[in-house]
């Protein structure tokens, strides 16, 4: 079982998700454009709180670890996004989101690299992300983090993979 521990990068503190992050994160992730490729709409603080309660309670499957972090940008002293990893055995599926006002600054790449470094230290050998074929920004983050596209798809999204030494 993997549990989220704080991760420090050059500009970010990746902090283990807590329910009380919901209000600030609802504000950071309020732009409907964040859902262009993933669907849905921004969550209200109450809906995000309920979601975070489910996430921090952990996976109902003891063989699966749900690891979620919020991105605290030290320079602005505020939460600006999230990264997550669903870990089973020695494989992890990762995802990231950075609020619209902070996009284009390399924060998602920095956070994803920090996450992958941590996963490698935890002996994860395969990292996967599923990315919409039109989402160029997420493709750039994946590539900069070392993932490469495969010919496999799930729900129309391209599977990107990285093999780690383990």
């Amino acid at each position: 079982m993997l549990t989220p521990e704080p991760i420090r990068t050059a500009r970010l503190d990746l902090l283990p998700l807590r329910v009380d992050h919901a209000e600030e994160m609802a504000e950071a992730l309020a732009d409907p454009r964040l859902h262009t490729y993933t669907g849905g709409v921004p969550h209200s603080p109450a809906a995000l709180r309920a979601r975070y309660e489910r996430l921090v309670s952990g996976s109902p499957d003891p063989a699966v670890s749900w690891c979620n972090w919020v991105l605290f940008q030290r320079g602005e002293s505020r939460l600006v996004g999230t990264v997550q990893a669903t870990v089973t055995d020695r494989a992890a599926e990762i995802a990231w989101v950075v609020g619209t006002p902070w996009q284009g600054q390399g924060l998602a790449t920095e956070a994803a690299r920090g996450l992958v470094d941590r996963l490698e230290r935890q002996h994860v050998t395969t990292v996967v992300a599923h990315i919409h074929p039109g989402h160029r920004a997420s493709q750039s983050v994946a590539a900069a983090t070392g993932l490469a596209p495969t010919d496999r798809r799930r729900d129309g999204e391209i599977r990107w993979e990285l093999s780690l030494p383990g």
Side-chain angles (χ1 to χ4, degrees), residues 129-153:
H130 287 88
I131 302 172
H132 188 281
H135 200 318
R136 301 284 181 242
S138 277
Q139 291 172 12
S140 294
V141 170
T145 306
L147 284 81
T150 69
D151 60 358
R152 297 169 59 188
R153 291 184 181 246

Side-chain angles (χ1 to χ4, degrees), residues 10-34:
R11 298 174 289 169
L12 300 168
D13 290 324
L14 283 61
L15 305 173
L17 179 71
R18 296 189 325 252
V19 174
D20 66 354
H21 289 135
E23 189 167 324
E24 186 173 353
M25 287 307 304
E27 181 182 326
L29 304 177
D31 190 336
R33 293 176 291 175
L34 289 174

Side-chain angles (χ1 to χ4, degrees), residues 2 9 32 42-43 46 77 79 83 100 113 122 131 133 139 152 159 161-162:
L2 183 67
T9 67
H43 292 294
S77 295
L79 301 179
V83 291
T100 307
R113 284 180 177 162
Q122 298 297 318
I131 302 172
Q139 291 172 12
R152 297 169 59 188
R159 179 183 171 104
E161 280 189 21
L162 170 63

Side-chain angles (χ1 to χ4, degrees), residues 30-45:
D31 190 336
R33 293 176 291 175
L34 289 174
H35 299 272
T36 300
Y37 298 106
T38 59
V41 297
H43 292 294
S44 68

